[in-house]
Coordinates of all heavy atoms in Angstrom, one line a residue:
R1 N -1.7 -3.2 0.5 CA -1.7 -3.9 1.8 C -3.0 -4.5 2.1 O -3.1 -5.7 2.5 CB -1.3 -2.9 2.9 CG -0.2 -3.3 3.8 CD 0.2 -2.2 4.8 NE -0.9 -1.5 5.3 CZ -1.0 -0.2 5.3 NH1 0.0 0.6 4.8 NH2 -2.0 0.5 5.8
A2 N -4.1 -3.8 2.0 CA -5.4 -4.3 2.4 C -5.8 -5.4 1.4 O -6.5 -6.3 1.7 CB -6.5 -3.2 2.2
L3 N -5.3 -5.3 0.1 CA -5.7 -6.4 -0.9 C -4.8 -7.6 -0.7 O -5.3 -8.8 -1.0 CB -5.4 -5.8 -2.4 CG -6.3 -4.8 -2.7 CD1 -6.0 -4.2 -4.1 CD2 -7.8 -5.3 -2.8
G4 N -3.6 -7.4 -0.3 CA -2.7 -8.5 0.0 C -2.6 -9.3 -1.4 O -2.5 -8.7 -2.4
P5 N -2.6 -10.7 -1.3 CA -2.5 -11.4 -2.5 C -3.8 -11.4 -3.3 O -3.8 -12.0 -4.4 CB -2.2 -12.9 -2.0 CG -2.7 -12.9 -0.6 CD -2.6 -11.4 -0.1
G6 N -4.8 -10.8 -2.8 CA -6.1 -10.8 -3.5 C -6.2 -9.9 -4.8 O -7.1 -10.0 -5.6
A7 N -5.1 -9.1 -5.0 CA -5.2 -8.2 -6.2 C -5.0 -9.1 -7.5 O -5.7 -8.8 -8.4 CB -4.1 -7.2 -6.1
E8 N -4.1 -10.0 -7.5 CA -3.8 -10.8 -8.6 C -5.0 -11.6 -9.2 O -5.2 -11.6 -10.3 CB -2.6 -11.7 -8.4 CG -2.1 -12.4 -9.6 CD -1.7 -11.5 -10.7 OE1 -1.2 -10.4 -10.5 OE2 -2.0 -11.9 -11.9
P9 N -5.7 -12.3 -8.3 CA -7.0 -13.0 -8.9 C -7.9 -12.0 -9.5 O -8.6 -12.3 -10.5 CB -7.5 -13.7 -7.7 CG -6.4 -13.9 -6.7 CD -5.5 -12.7 -6.9
L10 N -8.1 -10.9 -8.9 CA -9.0 -9.8 -9.4 C -8.6 -9.4 -10.8 O -9.3 -9.3 -11.7 CB -9.0 -8.6 -8.4 CG -9.8 -7.4 -9.0 CD1 -11.2 -7.6 -9.1 CD2 -9.5 -6.2 -8.1
L11 N -7.3 -9.1 -11.0 CA -6.7 -8.7 -12.2 C -6.9 -9.7 -13.2 O -7.2 -9.4 -14.4 CB -5.3 -8.2 -12.0 CG -5.1 -6.9 -11.1 CD1 -3.7 -6.6 -11.0 CD2 -5.9 -5.8 -11.6
R12 N -6.7 -11.0 -12.8 CA -6.8 -12.1 -13.7 C -8.3 -12.3 -14.2 O -8.5 -12.5 -15.4 CB -6.4 -13.5 -13.1 CG -5.0 -13.9 -13.4 CD -4.8 -15.3 -13.0 NE -5.3 -15.7 -11.8 CZ -4.6 -15.7 -10.6 NH1 -3.4 -15.3 -10.6 NH2 -5.2 -16.1 -9.5
A13 N -9.2 -12.1 -13.3 CA -10.6 -12.1 -13.6 C -11.0 -11.0 -14.6 O -11.9 -11.2 -15.5 CB -11.5 -11.9 -12.4
M14 N -10.3 -9.8 -14.6 CA -10.6 -8.8 -15.5 C -10.1 -9.1 -16.9 O -10.7 -8.7 -17.9 CB -10.0 -7.5 -15.1 CG -10.6 -6.9 -13.8 SD -9.9 -5.3 -13.4 CE -10.3 -4.3 -14.9
R15 N -9.1 -10.0 -17.0 CA -8.6 -10.4 -18.3 C -9.4 -11.4 -19.0 O -9.3 -11.6 -20.2 CB -7.2 -10.8 -18.2 CG -6.2 -9.7 -17.8 CD -4.8 -10.2 -17.9 NE -4.4 -11.1 -16.8 CZ -3.7 -10.9 -15.8 NH1 -3.2 -9.7 -15.6 NH2 -3.5 -11.9 -14.9
E16 N -10.4 -12.0 -18.3 CA -11.2 -13.1 -19.0 C -12.0 -12.4 -20.1 O -12.4 -11.3 -20.1 CB -12.2 -13.6 -18.0 CG -11.4 -14.5 -17.0 CD -12.3 -15.1 -15.9 OE1 -13.6 -14.9 -16.1 OE2 -11.9 -15.6 -15.0
A17 N -12.4 -13.2 -21.1 CA -13.2 -12.7 -22.2 C -14.5 -12.3 -21.8 O -15.0 -11.3 -22.3 CB -13.2 -13.8 -23.3
R18 N -15.1 -13.0 -20.8 CA -16.5 -12.5 -20.3 C -16.4 -12.7 -18.8 O -16.7 -13.6 -18.2 CB -17.5 -13.6 -20.8 CG -17.6 -13.4 -22.3 CD -18.8 -14.3 -22.9 NE -20.1 -13.9 -22.3 CZ -20.8 -12.9 -22.9 NH1 -20.4 -12.3 -24.0 NH2 -22.0 -12.5 -22.3
P19 N -16.0 -11.5 -18.1 CA -15.8 -11.5 -16.8 C -17.2 -11.5 -16.1 O -18.3 -11.2 -16.7 CB -15.2 -10.2 -16.4 CG -15.0 -9.4 -17.7 CD -15.4 -10.3 -18.8
A20 N -17.2 -12.1 -14.9 CA -18.6 -12.2 -14.1 C -19.1 -10.8 -13.9 O -18.4 -9.8 -13.7 CB -18.3 -12.9 -12.8
A21 N -20.4 -10.6 -14.0 CA -21.0 -9.4 -13.8 C -20.8 -8.8 -12.3 O -20.7 -7.6 -12.2 CB -22.6 -9.5 -14.0
E22 N -20.6 -9.7 -11.4 CA -20.3 -9.2 -9.9 C -19.1 -8.5 -9.9 O -18.8 -7.8 -8.9 CB -20.4 -10.4 -9.0 CG -21.7 -11.1 -8.9 CD -22.0 -12.1 -10.1 OE1 -21.1 -12.5 -10.8 OE2 -23.2 -12.4 -10.3
L23 N -18.1 -8.7 -10.8 CA -16.8 -8.0 -10.8 C -17.0 -6.5 -10.8 O -16.2 -5.8 -10.3 CB -16.0 -8.5 -12.0 CG -14.6 -8.0 -12.1 CD1 -13.8 -8.4 -10.8 CD2 -13.9 -8.4 -13.4
G24 N -18.0 -6.0 -11.5 CA -18.2 -4.5 -11.6 C -18.4 -3.9 -10.1 O -17.8 -2.9 -9.9
A25 N -19.3 -4.6 -9.3 CA -19.5 -4.1 -8.0 C -18.2 -4.1 -7.1 O -17.9 -3.2 -6.4 CB -20.6 -4.8 -7.3
L26 N -17.4 -5.2 -7.3 CA -16.2 -5.3 -6.7 C -15.2 -4.2 -7.0 O -14.6 -3.6 -6.2 CB -15.6 -6.7 -6.9 CG -14.3 -7.0 -6.2 CD1 -14.4 -6.9 -4.6 CD2 -13.8 -8.4 -6.6
L27 N -15.1 -3.9 -8.3 CA -14.3 -2.9 -8.8 C -14.7 -1.6 -8.3 O -13.9 -0.8 -7.8 CB -14.2 -2.8 -10.4 CG -13.6 -3.9 -11.1 CD1 -13.8 -3.8 -12.5 CD2 -12.0 -3.8 -10.9
C28 N -15.9 -1.2 -8.2 CA -16.5 0.0 -7.8 C -16.2 0.2 -6.2 O -15.7 1.3 -5.9 CB -18.0 0.1 -8.0 SG -18.6 1.8 -7.8
N29 N -16.4 -0.9 -5.5 CA -16.0 -0.8 -4.1 C -14.5 -0.6 -3.8 O -14.1 0.1 -2.9 CB -16.6 -2.0 -3.4 CG -18.1 -2.0 -3.3 OD1 -18.7 -1.0 -3.3 ND2 -18.7 -3.2 -3.1
L30 N -13.8 -1.4 -4.5 CA -12.3 -1.5 -4.4 C -11.7 0.0 -4.7 O -10.8 0.5 -4.1 CB -11.7 -2.4 -5.3 CG -10.2 -2.5 -5.3 CD1 -9.7 -3.0 -4.0 CD2 -9.8 -3.4 -6.4
S31 N -12.4 0.7 -5.6 CA -11.9 2.0 -6.1 C -12.2 3.1 -5.1 O -11.7 4.2 -5.2 CB -12.3 2.3 -7.5 OG -13.8 2.5 -7.4
Q32 N -13.0 2.8 -4.1 CA -13.3 3.9 -3.1 C -12.2 4.0 -2.1 O -12.1 5.1 -1.5 CB -14.6 3.5 -2.4 CG -15.8 3.5 -3.3 CD -17.0 3.0 -2.6 OE1 -17.1 2.9 -1.3 NE2 -18.1 2.8 -3.3
A33 N -11.3 3.0 -1.9 CA -10.2 3.1 -1.1 C -8.9 3.5 -1.9 O -8.7 3.1 -3.0 CB -9.8 1.7 -0.4
A34 N -8.0 4.3 -1.2 CA -6.9 4.9 -1.9 C -6.0 3.8 -2.4 O -5.4 3.8 -3.5 CB -6.0 5.8 -1.0
E35 N -5.8 2.7 -1.6 CA -5.0 1.6 -2.0 C -5.6 0.8 -3.2 O -4.8 0.4 -4.1 CB -4.8 0.6 -0.9 CG -4.0 1.2 0.4 CD -3.9 0.3 1.5 OE1 -4.0 -1.0 1.3 OE2 -3.7 0.8 2.6
G36 N -6.8 0.7 -3.3 CA -7.5 0.1 -4.4 C -7.4 0.9 -5.6 O -7.1 0.3 -6.7
R37 N -7.4 2.2 -5.5 CA -7.3 3.1 -6.7 C -5.8 2.9 -7.2 O -5.6 2.8 -8.5 CB -7.5 4.5 -6.4 CG -9.0 4.8 -6.2 CD -9.3 6.2 -6.2 NE -8.7 6.9 -5.0 CZ -9.2 7.0 -3.8 NH1 -10.4 6.4 -3.5 NH2 -8.6 7.7 -2.9
R38 N -4.9 2.7 -6.3 CA -3.4 2.6 -6.8 C -3.3 1.3 -7.5 O -2.6 1.2 -8.5 CB -2.5 2.7 -5.6 CG -2.2 4.1 -5.2 CD -1.1 4.1 -4.1 NE -1.4 3.7 -2.8 CZ -2.0 4.5 -1.9 NH1 -2.3 5.7 -2.2 NH2 -2.3 4.0 -0.7
V39 N -3.9 0.2 -7.1 CA -3.9 -1.0 -7.8 C -4.5 -0.9 -9.2 O -4.0 -1.4 -10.3 CB -4.6 -2.2 -7.1 CG1 -4.8 -3.4 -8.0 CG2 -3.8 -2.5 -5.7
L40 N -5.7 -0.2 -9.4 CA -6.3 -0.1 -10.6 C -5.6 0.9 -11.6 O -5.7 0.8 -12.7 CB -7.8 0.4 -10.4 CG -8.7 -0.5 -9.6 CD1 -10.1 0.2 -9.3 CD2 -8.8 -1.9 -10.3
L41 N -4.9 1.8 -10.9 CA -4.2 2.8 -11.8 C -2.7 2.5 -11.9 O -1.9 3.4 -12.0 CB -4.4 4.2 -11.2 CG -5.8 4.8 -11.0 CD1 -5.8 6.0 -10.2 CD2 -6.3 5.1 -12.5
E42 N -2.4 1.2 -11.9 CA -1.1 0.8 -12.1 C -0.4 1.4 -13.4 O -1.1 1.9 -14.3 CB -0.9 -0.8 -12.2 CG -1.9 -1.5 -13.2 CD -1.3 -1.6 -14.5 OE1 -0.1 -1.6 -14.7 OE2 -2.1 -1.6 -15.4
R43 N 0.9 1.6 -13.3 CA 1.7 2.4 -14.2 C 1.5 2.1 -15.8 O 1.4 2.9 -16.6 CB 3.1 2.2 -14.0 CG 4.0 3.3 -14.6 CD 5.3 3.3 -13.9 NE 6.1 4.5 -13.8 CZ 5.7 5.7 -13.4 NH1 4.5 6.0 -12.8 NH2 6.6 6.7 -13.5
S44 N 1.2 0.8 -16.1 CA 1.1 0.5 -17.5 C -0.2 0.9 -18.1 O -0.3 1.0 -19.4 CB 1.4 -1.1 -17.8 OG 0.3 -1.8 -17.2
G45 N -1.2 1.0 -17.3 CA -2.5 1.5 -17.7 C -3.4 0.3 -18.3 O -4.4 0.5 -18.8
R46 N -2.9 -0.9 -18.2 CA -3.7 -2.1 -18.7 C -5.1 -2.2 -18.0 O -6.0 -2.5 -18.7 CB -2.9 -3.3 -18.4 CG -1.7 -3.5 -19.4 CD -1.0 -4.8 -19.2 NE -0.6 -4.7 -17.8 CZ 0.3 -5.5 -17.2 NH1 0.8 -6.5 -17.9 NH2 0.8 -5.4 -16.0
V47 N -5.1 -2.0 -16.7 CA -6.4 -2.1 -16.0 C -7.4 -1.1 -16.4 O -8.5 -1.4 -16.6 CB -6.1 -2.1 -14.4 CG1 -7.5 -2.2 -13.7 CG2 -5.2 -3.2 -14.0
V48 N -6.9 0.1 -16.6 CA -7.9 1.2 -17.0 C -8.4 1.0 -18.4 O -9.5 1.2 -18.7 CB -7.1 2.6 -16.8 CG1 -8.0 3.7 -17.5 CG2 -6.8 3.1 -15.4
R49 N -7.4 0.5 -19.3 CA -7.8 0.1 -20.6 C -8.9 -0.9 -20.6 O -9.9 -0.9 -21.4 CB -6.7 -0.2 -21.5 CG -5.9 1.0 -22.0 CD -4.9 0.6 -23.1 NE -3.9 -0.2 -22.7 CZ -2.8 0.0 -22.1 NH1 -2.5 1.3 -21.8 NH2 -1.8 -1.0 -21.7
R50 N -8.7 -1.9 -19.8 CA -9.7 -3.0 -19.7 C -11.0 -2.5 -19.2 O -12.1 -2.9 -19.7 CB -9.1 -4.1 -18.8 CG -10.1 -5.3 -18.7 CD -10.4 -6.0 -20.0 NE -11.4 -7.1 -19.8 CZ -12.4 -7.2 -20.6 NH1 -12.7 -6.4 -21.6 NH2 -13.2 -8.3 -20.3
M51 N -11.0 -1.7 -18.2 CA -12.3 -1.0 -17.7 C -13.0 -0.3 -18.7 O -14.2 -0.3 -18.8 CB -12.0 -0.2 -16.4 CG -11.7 -1.0 -15.2 SD -11.8 -0.1 -13.6 CE -10.3 0.9 -13.8
L52 N -12.2 0.5 -19.6 CA -12.8 1.2 -20.6 C -13.4 0.3 -21.7 O -14.5 0.5 -22.2 CB -11.7 2.1 -21.3 CG -11.3 3.3 -20.5 CD1 -10.2 4.0 -21.2 CD2 -12.5 4.2 -20.3
E53 N -12.8 -0.9 -22.0 CA -13.3 -1.8 -22.8 C -14.7 -2.4 -22.2 O -15.6 -2.6 -23.0 CB -12.4 -3.0 -23.0 CG -11.2 -2.7 -23.8 CD -10.1 -3.8 -23.8 OE1 -10.5 -5.0 -23.3 OE2 -9.0 -3.6 -24.4
M54 N -14.7 -2.5 -20.9 CA -15.9 -3.0 -20.3 C -17.1 -2.0 -20.5 O -18.3 -2.4 -20.7 CB -15.8 -3.2 -18.8 CG -14.8 -4.4 -18.5 SD -14.6 -4.4 -16.7 CE -13.4 -5.9 -16.7
V55 N -16.7 -0.8 -20.4 CA -17.8 0.3 -20.5 C -18.3 0.3 -22.0 O -19.5 0.4 -22.2 CB -17.2 1.6 -20.3 CG1 -18.1 2.8 -20.5 CG2 -16.9 1.6 -18.7
R56 N -17.4 0.2 -23.0 CA -17.7 0.3 -24.3 C -18.3 -0.9 -25.0 O -18.9 -1.0 -26.0 CB -16.6 0.8 -25.2 CG -16.2 2.2 -24.9 CD -15.1 2.6 -25.8 NE -13.9 2.0 -25.3 CZ -12.6 2.4 -25.5 NH1 -12.5 3.5 -26.2 NH2 -11.6 1.8 -25.0
G57 N -17.9 -2.1 -24.3 CA -18.3 -3.4 -24.9 C -19.8 -3.8 -24.6 O -20.6 -3.0 -24.2
T58 N -20.0 -5.0 -25.0 CA -21.3 -5.5 -24.8 C -21.4 -6.4 -23.5 O -22.2 -7.4 -23.4 CB -21.6 -6.4 -26.0 OG1 -20.7 -7.5 -26.1 CG2 -21.7 -5.7 -27.3
E59 N -20.7 -6.0 -22.6 CA -20.6 -6.7 -21.2 C -22.0 -6.4 -20.6 O -22.9 -5.6 -21.0 CB -19.6 -6.0 -20.3 CG -18.2 -5.8 -20.9 CD -17.5 -7.1 -21.2 OE1 -18.0 -8.2 -20.8 OE2 -16.5 -7.0 -21.9
A60 N -22.3 -7.3 -19.5 CA -23.6 -7.1 -18.6 C -23.6 -5.7 -18.2 O -22.7 -5.0 -17.8 CB -23.6 -8.1 -17.6
A61 N -24.9 -5.1 -18.0 CA -25.1 -3.9 -17.5 C -24.6 -3.7 -16.1 O -24.0 -2.6 -15.8 CB -26.6 -3.6 -17.4
E62 N -24.6 -4.7 -15.3 CA -24.1 -4.5 -13.9 C -22.5 -4.4 -14.0 O -22.0 -3.5 -13.3 CB -24.4 -5.8 -13.1 CG -23.9 -5.8 -11.7 CD -24.3 -7.0 -10.9 OE1 -25.0 -7.8 -11.5 OE2 -23.7 -7.2 -9.8
L63 N -21.9 -5.0 -14.8 CA -20.4 -4.9 -15.1 C -20.0 -3.5 -15.5 O -19.1 -2.9 -15.1 CB -19.9 -6.0 -16.0 CG -18.4 -6.1 -16.2 CD1 -17.6 -6.2 -14.9 CD2 -18.0 -7.2 -17.1
R64 N -20.8 -3.1 -16.6 CA -20.6 -1.7 -17.1 C -20.8 -0.7 -16.0 O -19.9 0.3 -15.9 CB -21.5 -1.4 -18.2 CG -21.1 -2.1 -19.6 CD -21.9 -1.6 -20.8 NE -23.2 -1.3 -20.6 CZ -24.2 -2.2 -20.9 NH1 -23.9 -3.3 -21.4 NH2 -25.5 -1.9 -20.7
R65 N -21.8 -0.7 -15.2 CA -22.0 0.3 -14.2 C -20.9 0.3 -13.2 O -20.4 1.3 -12.7 CB -23.3 0.0 -13.5 CG -24.6 0.5 -14.2 CD -25.8 0.5 -13.3 NE -26.1 -0.9 -12.9 CZ -26.9 -1.8 -13.5 NH1 -27.5 -1.4 -14.7 NH2 -27.2 -2.9 -13.1
G66 N -20.4 -1.0 -12.8 CA -19.3 -1.0 -11.8 C -18.1 -0.4 -12.4 O -17.3 0.3 -11.7
A67 N -17.7 -0.6 -13.7 CA -16.6 -0.1 -14.3 C -16.6 1.4 -14.4 O -15.6 2.0 -14.1 CB -16.3 -0.8 -15.7
V68 N -17.8 1.9 -14.7 CA -18.0 3.4 -14.7 C -17.7 4.0 -13.4 O -17.1 5.0 -13.2 CB -19.4 3.7 -15.3 CG1 -19.7 5.2 -15.0 CG2 -19.5 3.4 -16.8
G69 N -18.3 3.3 -12.3 CA -18.1 3.8 -11.0 C -16.6 3.8 -10.6 O -16.2 4.7 -9.9
A70 N -16.0 2.7 -10.9 CA -14.5 2.6 -10.7 C -13.7 3.6 -11.3 O -12.8 4.3 -10.7 CB -14.0 1.3 -10.9
L71 N -14.1 3.8 -12.6 CA -13.3 4.9 -13.3 C -13.6 6.3 -12.7 O -12.7 7.1 -12.5 CB -13.7 4.9 -14.8 CG -13.1 3.7 -15.6 CD1 -13.8 3.6 -16.9 CD2 -11.6 3.8 -15.8
R72 N -14.8 6.5 -12.3 CA -15.1 7.8 -11.7 C -14.4 8.0 -10.4 O -13.8 9.0 -10.1 CB -16.6 7.9 -11.4 CG -17.1 9.2 -10.8 CD -18.4 9.2 -10.2 NE -18.3 8.4 -9.0 CZ -19.2 7.6 -8.6 NH1 -20.3 7.4 -9.2 NH2 -19.0 6.8 -7.5
N73 N -14.4 6.9 -9.6 CA -13.6 7.0 -8.3 C -12.1 7.2 -8.5 O -11.5 7.9 -7.8 CB -13.9 5.7 -7.5 CG -15.3 5.7 -6.9 OD1 -16.0 6.7 -6.8 ND2 -15.8 4.5 -6.7
C74 N -11.5 6.6 -9.6 CA -10.3 6.8 -9.9 C -9.8 8.2 -10.4 O -8.6 8.6 -10.1 CB -9.7 5.8 -11.0 SG -9.6 4.2 -10.4
C75 N -10.8 8.9 -10.7 CA -10.6 10.4 -11.1 C -10.2 11.2 -9.9 O -9.6 12.2 -10.0 CB -11.8 11.0 -11.8 SG -12.0 10.3 -13.4
F76 N -10.5 10.7 -8.6 CA -10.2 11.4 -7.4 C -8.8 11.1 -6.8 O -8.4 11.6 -5.8 CB -11.3 11.1 -6.4 CG -12.6 11.7 -6.8 CD1 -13.6 10.8 -7.2 CD2 -12.9 13.0 -6.8 CE1 -14.9 11.2 -7.5 CE2 -14.1 13.5 -7.3 CZ -15.1 12.6 -7.6
E77 N -8.1 10.3 -7.5 CA -6.7 9.9 -7.1 C -5.7 11.0 -7.6 O -5.6 11.2 -8.7 CB -6.3 8.5 -7.6 CG -5.0 8.1 -7.0 CD -4.9 7.9 -5.6 OE1 -6.0 7.6 -5.0 OE2 -3.9 7.9 -5.1
H78 N -5.0 11.6 -6.6 CA -4.1 12.7 -6.9 C -2.7 12.0 -7.0 O -2.3 11.3 -6.2 CB -4.0 13.7 -5.8 CG -5.3 14.4 -5.7 ND1 -5.8 15.4 -6.6 CD2 -6.3 14.2 -4.8 CE1 -7.0 15.7 -6.2 NE2 -7.3 15.1 -5.1
G79 N -2.0 12.3 -8.2 CA -0.6 11.8 -8.3 C 0.4 12.6 -7.4 O 0.1 13.8 -7.1
K80 N 1.5 12.0 -7.1 CA 2.5 12.7 -6.3 C 3.6 13.0 -7.1 O 4.0 12.6 -8.0 CB 2.9 11.8 -5.1 CG 1.7 11.5 -4.2 CD 2.2 10.8 -3.0 CE 1.0 10.6 -2.1 NZ 1.1 10.6 -0.8

């Protein structure tokens, strides 16, 4: 609800070959909200796999830090 139509552009930006470094901070902030974690932890796991690629890849340090923070925050999401 809070993301509204804003989730799709974010997910598209993550699929780019070289996402903007600022995307890391956005991911980390988004993952602090329960609704944001639900978007990032979508059922297929594509978003989580992409964040793991960002951590392991040669992405900008700012992007890696944001992806690590988002993954850490997602660990606090409890399944129902």
Side-chain angles (χ1 to χ4, degrees):
R1 232 177 34 233
L3 292 175
E8 187 55 36
L10 170 68
L11 298 176
R12 262 195 318 268
M14 287 182 66
R15 288 189 291 256
E16 292 179 7
R18 298 186 61 87
E22 295 81 18
L23 183 62
L26 180 62
L27 286 170
C28 191
N29 288 338
L30 178 66
S31 67
Q32 291 177 16
E35 292 177 27
R37 287 190 299 271
R38 280 192 285 275
V39 169
L40 297 176
L41 295 172
E42 50 86 27
R43 197 163 204 61
S44 73
R46 287 180 298 197
V47 177
V48 171
R49 282 193 297 274
R50 179 60 180 132
M51 285 192 292
L52 288 170
E53 289 172 11
M54 289 176 184
V55 171
R56 291 183 286 206
T58 58
E59 315 288 353
E62 184 180 351
L63 183 58
R64 282 196 315 268
R65 281 192 298 271
V68 166
L71 289 166
R72 183 197 69 221
N73 290 339
C74 286
C75 290
F76 296 107
E77 183 64 26
H78 299 282
K80 294 191 181 211

